[in-house]
Amino acid sequence: MDSILVWFRRDLRDHDHAALCEALRRARRVHCAFVFDCEILDPLRHTPDRRVEFIRESLLELDHALRAQGGALVVRHGWARAEIPLLARELAVTAVFANRDYEPQARQRDAAVAMALRAQGIGFELFKDQALFDGEEVLTQAGRPHTVFTPYRNAWLKRLSQDDWQPHRGKGGRLVASPLALGVPSLVELGFGEAGLRALGIAPGMSGGRERLQDFAGRLHLYRQQRDFPAVKGVSYLSVHLRFGTVSVRQLVALAVTAGALRPGAEGAATWLSELVWRDFYFMILDRFPHVVERSFRPEYDAITWEQGAVAEQAFADWCAGRTGYPLVDAGMRQINRTGYMHNRLRMLVASFLTKDLGIDWRRGEAYFARQLNDFDLAANNGGWQWAASTGCDAQPYFRIFNPVTQSERFDPGGRFIRRYLPELASVPDRFIHAPWRMSAAAQAACGIHVGLQTPAPIVDHDEARRRTLQRYGVVKRGGVPRRDR
């Protein structure tokens, strides 16, 4: 081809980029573009948004990297459905290349763009990039999509070969700098304010991704032991970089495999690789079963009646604000509100608390996370919430109900994480930090608190809530014997 336009979306890097490398292989000249899509941004406008700031900062770095190679990034602000066909015509390209997106809204957008380009005689091709395997690459023996994780993981690992995690490399064509590449608009021009990424310790862009990856590589061997403890630096903190593609999934799989994930004994690397397989699994579920965006994966769970009314609304508001009276639940919610990040163990705990202690529809919690999370990804967010609510594929049984006190004692035993986000409990002894209401009035006074004043009393009794949850989920008519709280 004479010239191709590469449309960057959630893949903000200049290396190991499927669409970019394929364009360089097949065309003499390659243009690059990104669209701040009003379809996505308009509902968020006029408020600081860490994700928009992350994208903008990452684009500045990407544009600089492309210019160093003779190219440049054309950045538009408008409706991508219109801007990409318009830009393709202005640049007189033969085709537009982009990497595949599995979200229903994105697929509708891409279909509209393809139709508009076709009317102009311009091609449109999509490539696999954000998942290691997609489409029909991992199926059951009957040729159907997997709906249970463990068989999917086994099939995924069986299919995995060295070629799958090799980086994409483009040769042949050259990047070109169009006069239309006028730089990256400011946050103000986009209708947003500063969100304080740097103050939160979030380094955007490819350089930020490299820093996180290098830091995690030295801790990978401890991943399985430490990943469940929010007060410990045990996880990768790469999720926002994976979300916006400032690192590639092939880099991460290569790290795990090099560290021995496919050999016995390397538990940290093997557990990390399994988490990457979960990511592919949820992409596949969203791609093949798009009804999960609005409904339960398992239709019978749509018969559940969730709590509504004034009491439920107040409970939801308390959950959002971190005022439930259960310290680890509240610490997790304050973390997400303050930083846009929440540790994965706490994501499971607060989701279980909302759906099974408060009886509130999982979709409300999912939507709240979608607004708050820096690393919000529809596939993973939906999958995680449906797992916690027992409505999803391969979800925890409905009678598995996390006890917020037991979880706190197990995963924040010294209360370090609780004290970080609930400083009002700083003087509470370790043995009461997980349930301050169990202290006597005198002991509370000695710690400078009064449960119900300086710190909220529990808004629900867990044992009573558990009983109501078993009744609520009884409509599903699932078999099994209720287990003890975990």
Side-chain angles (χ1 to χ4, degrees):
M1 298 183 188
D2 179 62
S3 61
I4 290 175
L5 171 63
V6 175
W7 177 16
F8 287 80
R9 289 106 75 92
R10 45 180 297 166
D11 41 24
L12 306 182
R13 62 186 186 279
D14 69 338
H15 60 277
D16 191 14
H17 186 289
L20 177 61
C21 292
E22 187 64 14
L24 288 169
R25 189 179 70 81
R26 290 168 55 182
R28 287 185 289 274
R29 298 179 299 129
V30 176
H31 297 274
C32 299
F34 178 88
V35 178
F36 281 103
D37 195 344
C38 290
E39 187 172 2
I40 299 170
L41 297 188
D42 279 358
L44 309 173
R45 195 180 302 280
H46 304 306
T47 59
D49 192 293
R50 287 177 289 261
R51 293 164 295 195
V52 178
E53 186 171 339
F54 186 97
I55 291 169
R56 182 185 177 273
E57 294 293 315
S58 298
L59 290 176
L60 288 171
E61 185 174 358
L62 176 60
D63 185 39
H64 180 77
L66 294 173
R67 289 180 186 274
Q69 301 169 64
L73 190 67
V74 180
V75 180
R76 293 286 175 90
H77 181 207
W79 286 72
R81 297 168 185 247
E83 293 291 340
I84 290 300
L86 174 62
L87 184 57
R89 185 168 64 250
E90 291 173 336
L91 295 171
V93 298
T94 309
V96 174
F97 284 8
N99 290 323
R100 200 170 296 139
D101 196 324
Y102 307 102
E103 297 184 7
Q105 182 179 353
R107 292 175 65 178
Q108 293 169 8
R109 174 204 61 202
D110 289 350
V113 169
M115 182 180 298
L117 289 171
R118 188 163 54 247
Q120 299 173 196
I122 299 172
F124 184 57
E125 295 188 41
L126 296 172
F127 301 88
K128 179 184 67 174
D129 185 82
Q130 63 177 300
L132 207 71
F133 297 126
D134 70 1
E136 297 185 351
E137 292 183 306
V138 180
L139 298 173
T140 67
Q141 291 183 348
R144 293 191 291 270
H146 285 272
T147 58
V148 179
F149 175 70
T150 299
Y152 175 84
R153 181 186 61 197
N154 293 340
W156 193 99
L157 292 172
K158 185 177 180 179
R159 192 193 189 290
L160 184 66
S161 71
Q162 187 170 352
D163 289 342
D164 295 312
W165 68 78
Q166 294 304 305
H168 292 286
R169 293 184 173 89
K171 297 179 181 178
R174 65 182 179 88
L175 294 169
V176 294
S178 165
L180 299 175
L182 303 176
V184 181
S186 69
L187 287 172
V188 172
E189 289 173 313
L190 294 169
F192 291 87
E194 295 282 345
L197 275 184
R198 303 286 179 176
L200 292 171
I202 301 172
M206 296 177 283
S207 59
R210 282 194 299 271
E211 290 173 11
R212 285 294 186 200
L213 187 56
Q214 290 168 3
D215 175 72
F216 180 57
R219 300 182 284 107
L220 177 58
H221 65 290
L222 298 173
Y223 179 73
R224 183 176 182 182
Q225 299 166 240
Q226 298 184 343
R227 65 178 181 140
D228 280 321
F229 299 91
V232 175
K233 189 179 180 181
V235 296
S236 72
Y237 303 103
L238 279 162
S239 57
V240 68
H241 290 283
L242 262 178
R243 168 62 182 86
F244 294 108
T246 48
V247 297
S248 92
V249 68
R250 287 166 295 282
Q251 286 178 280
L252 306 191
V253 172
L255 171 65
V257 173
T258 302
L262 303 179
R263 301 191 301 270
E267 293 184 343
T271 304
W272 166 244
L273 182 60
S274 186
E275 292 301 309
L276 297 176
V277 181
W278 268 109
R279 181 173 178 271
D280 267 16
F281 180 68
Y282 282 143
F283 278 143
M284 180 273 294
I285 293 297
L286 182 63
D287 185 41
R288 294 308 184 92
F289 304 97
H291 73 274
V292 298
V293 174
E294 297 177 347
R295 304 190 304 279
S296 300
F297 175 84
R298 304 177 63 174
E300 63 268 28
Y301 281 82
D302 285 328
I304 292 173
T305 300
W306 301 102
E307 296 291 333
Q308 296 183 14
V311 173
E313 290 303 314
Q314 183 59 55
F316 182 68
D318 288 338
W319 177 85
C320 291
R323 296 193 307 257
T324 70
Y326 287 92
L328 192 57
V329 172
D330 291 345
M333 294 307 297
R334 294 192 193 183
Q335 181 184 39
I336 193 175
N337 291 337
R338 188 182 306 172
T339 70
Y341 171 80
M342 187 187 290
H343 188 279
N344 189 59
R345 168 55 59 176
L346 301 184
R347 297 188 196 201
M348 292 189 286
L349 173 61
V350 303
S352 177
F353 188 86
L354 183 72
T355 56
K356 294 181 177 177
D357 280 72
L358 301 182
I360 293 174
D361 193 334
W362 60 269
R363 281 160 282 233
R364 300 193 66 184
E366 182 195 19
Y368 189 77
F369 271 30
R371 292 191 298 273
Q372 298 296 113
L373 284 173
N374 302 330
D375 62 7
F376 167 66
D377 183 283
L378 177 58
N381 194 46
N382 181 274
W385 272 94
Q386 293 224 39
W387 182 90
S390 301
T391 62
C393 57
D394 201 19
Q396 63 173 345
Y398 73 90
F399 46 76
R400 184 185 181 192
I401 303 170
F402 285 156
N403 183 316
V405 175
T406 302
Q407 289 280 303
S408 185
E409 292 169 343
R410 182 179 299 177
F411 297 113
D412 191 28
R416 286 172 53 199
F417 184 83
I418 291 171
R419 290 185 176 91
R420 184 183 308 165
Y421 287 96
L422 277 65
E424 63 270 26
L425 300 182
S427 299
V428 174
D430 289 358
R431 64 194 183 104
F432 290 117
I433 192 69
H434 312 287
W437 63 90
R438 292 176 179 170
M439 288 192 295
S440 67
Q444 291 180 37
C447 295
I449 66 165
H450 184 285
V451 175
L453 293 178
Q454 291 87 352
T455 187
I459 63 172
V460 66
D461 177 83
H462 174 69
D463 290 336
E464 176 61 22
R466 186 178 192 278
R467 183 188 65 78
R468 289 197 301 270
T469 292
L470 294 177
Q471 292 177 341
R472 177 177 294 110
Y473 279 75
V475 69
V476 179
K477 304 294 185 183
R478 286 187 58 186
V481 178
R483 305 175 184 177
R484 291 187 303 168
D485 292 350
R486 299 187 177 184

